[in-house]
């Protein structure tokens, strides 16, 4: 029986593990990998304490920090697929057939970016293809880039790129942008931006790094090419919350609803932090902070009898 089970090895999971160890909770961490979504970033410039760090380096630092703690059991690579209530506790099952019982759970399983599924996307992931403008925009200083997606995520990516990119092409699959009108006004005011409607991305081109993009005009059927140094895919993300669906409250996007004060979910004994939650700011530093709240609150629940309340 564990006191605290952590799902995920990103900034949230690692932060929670360090704090749980300091509180001497019997803790197990289950993850497929270290680093979360940022592991593919060539350079991260907003992780506090590091002026610039690659996603790979950040992942190693997170792993090393967790492994330096005593009494943390680490199971990887493995993935939790089901959490069930078992009396006052929880039974957790993984894809590799492992199972265990725990008194409390922190879901820090993150989210997965929606992919285009076109040739070149996987090959140039981290080599010009990016999914986080907040993380990677500075890398594309004085470069020609494209943003795919005309929703709020795409428009915000354009805004993130304005201070850095030389030119930006915004490709929208439909005939109109879907983002908030106020944000649309902001992006349309810039001379750096060209919006291309009815654009279906067919292929991302490159050699060692991205060199261009091929798309189809959905009105005419004509195929066209753009010469580029980078492509930001901003067509949304999917929270990795399947293992708790029906157990905790989620919003219409599948994000776990949490109390911002302490990262509690609607289910007593389960906390959540990071991109799997409904927190609007999907940032590494915020994920880590929310996970620390969760670990400290779980400690209070376990040792001081502080029963979380239902939301």
């Amino acid at each position: 029986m564990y006191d605290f089970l952590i799902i995920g090895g990103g900034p949230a999971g690692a932060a929670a593990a360090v704090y749980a160890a300091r509180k001497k909770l019997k803790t197990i961490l289950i993850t497929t990998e270290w680093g979360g979504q940022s592991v593919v970033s060539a350079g991260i410039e907003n992780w506090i304490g590091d002026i610039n760090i690659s996603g790979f380096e950040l992942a190693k630092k997170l792993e090393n920090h967790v492994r330096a703690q005593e009494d943390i059991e680490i199971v990887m690579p493995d993935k939790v697929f089901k959490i069930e209530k078992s009396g006052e506790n929880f039974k957790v099952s993984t894809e590799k057939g492992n199972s265990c019982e725990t008194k409390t759970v922190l879901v820090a399983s993150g989210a997965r970016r929606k992919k285009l599924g076109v040739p070149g996307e996987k090959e140039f992931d981290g080599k010009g293809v990016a999914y986080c403008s907040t993380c990677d925009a500075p890398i594309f200083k004085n470069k020609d880039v494209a943003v795919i997606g005309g929703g709020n995520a795409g428009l915000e990516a354009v805004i993130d790129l304005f201070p850095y990119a030389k030119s930006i092409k915004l490709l929208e699959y439909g005939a109109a942008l879907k983002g908030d009108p106020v944000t649309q006004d902001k992006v349309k005011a810039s001379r750096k931006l060209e919006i291309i409607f009815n654009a279906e991305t067919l292929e991302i081109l490159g050699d060692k790094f991205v060199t261009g993009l091929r798309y189809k005009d959905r009105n005419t059927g004509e195929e066209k090419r753009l010469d580029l140094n980078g492509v930001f895919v901003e067509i949304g993300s999917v929270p990795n919350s399947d293992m708790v669906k029906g157990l905790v409250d989620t919003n219409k996007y599948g994000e776990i609803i949490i109390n911002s004060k302490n990262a509690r979910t609607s289910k007593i004994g389960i906390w959540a932090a990071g991109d799997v939650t409904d927190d609007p700011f999907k940032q590494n530093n915020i994920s880590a902070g929310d996970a620390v709240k969760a670990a400290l609150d779980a400690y209070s629940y376990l040792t001081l009898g502080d029963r979380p309340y239902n939301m």
Side-chain angles (χ1 to χ4, degrees), residues 33-61:
E33 62 179 356
W34 296 99
Q37 293 183 73
S38 292
V39 72
V40 300
S41 296
I44 300 167
E45 297 185 343
N46 58 357
W47 177 251
I48 303 304
D50 287 293
I51 295 172
N52 188 299
I53 185 171
S54 72
F56 176 79
E57 291 172 320
L58 176 59
K60 289 304 295 181
K61 290 181 75 170

Side-chain angles (χ1 to χ4, degrees), residues 257-303:
I257 299 169
I258 62 169
N259 185 317
S260 61
K261 292 181 179 179
N262 45 34
R264 296 171 179 173
T265 72
S266 61
K267 188 71 174 178
I268 291 175
I270 299 181
W271 287 256
D275 288 3
V276 74
T277 75
D278 65 339
D279 190 306
F281 304 109
K282 313 297 188 187
Q283 296 293 303
N284 287 333
N285 293 292
I286 294 171
S287 297
D290 283 350
V292 170
K293 290 181 189 179
L296 294 177
D297 199 53
Y299 173 76
S300 295
Y301 166 63
L302 288 165
T303 63

Side-chain angles (χ1 to χ4, degrees), residues 3 10 15 17 22 35 37 42 60 66 84 87 108 124 142 154 185 205 231 234 237 242 261-262 301 306:
D3 294 322
R22 292 177 63 82
Q37 293 183 73
K60 289 304 295 181
V66 174
E84 302 170 275
F124 298 107
N142 297 323
D185 291 342
L205 309 169
V231 176
E234 295 288 354
S237 61
D242 290 347
K261 292 181 179 179
N262 45 34
Y301 166 63
D306 178 15

Side-chain angles (χ1 to χ4, degrees), residues 107-127:
V107 183
S109 48
R112 57 195 184 275
R113 296 281 182 168
K114 287 183 181 177
K115 302 295 180 72
L116 291 166
V118 300
E121 180 180 23
K122 182 178 180 181
E123 292 82 351
F124 298 107
D125 190 344
K127 300 175 183 177

Side-chain angles (χ1 to χ4, degrees), residues 42-206:
I44 300 167
E45 297 185 343
N46 58 357
W47 177 251
I48 303 304
D50 287 293
I51 295 172
N52 188 299
I53 185 171
S54 72
F56 176 79
E57 291 172 320
L58 176 59
K60 289 304 295 181
K61 290 181 75 170
L62 295 175
E63 179 183 4
N64 291 341
H65 202 166
V66 174
R67 291 190 183 280
Q69 311 307 308
E70 296 181 359
D71 302 323
I72 294 279
E73 183 176 341
I74 298 168
V75 177
M76 73 164 291
D78 204 351
K79 182 179 180 181
V80 172
F81 78 89
K82 191 174 186 181
I83 301 175
E84 302 170 275
K85 195 79 171 97
S86 178
E88 290 295 312
N89 305 308
F90 298 94
K91 181 182 177 182
V92 177
S93 304
T94 75
E95 289 185 347
K96 290 192 173 181
N98 295 311
S99 65
C100 63
E101 286 206 13
T102 180
K103 297 174 184 176
T104 60
V105 176
L106 170 65
V107 183
S109 48
R112 57 195 184 275
R113 296 281 182 168
K114 287 183 181 177
K115 302 295 180 72
L116 291 166
V118 300
E121 180 180 23
K122 182 178 180 181
E123 292 82 351
F124 298 107
D125 190 344
K127 300 175 183 177
V129 173
Y131 299 89
C132 178
S133 58
T134 308
C135 309
D136 295 334
I139 301 170
F140 294 87
K141 188 173 183 179
N142 297 323
K143 305 289 187 181
D144 297 310
V145 301
V147 174
I148 301 174
N152 281 324
L155 298 183
E156 288 163 9
V158 170
I159 291 172
D160 287 341
L161 284 160
F162 276 153
Y164 305 103
K166 181 169 69 175
S167 71
I168 306 166
K169 302 286 195 301
L170 177 60
L171 278 66
E172 163 56 37
Y173 186 82
L177 299 179
K178 302 180 183 69
D180 295 336
V182 171
T183 313
Q184 290 189 39
D185 291 342
K186 287 181 182 178
V187 301
K188 290 175 181 178
S190 174
R191 294 181 180 179
K192 283 189 175 184
L193 178 67
E194 178 187 348
I195 303 173
I196 304 173
F197 293 107
N198 298 299
E200 179 183 353
T201 303
L202 300 176
E203 182 180 9
I204 296 173
L205 309 169

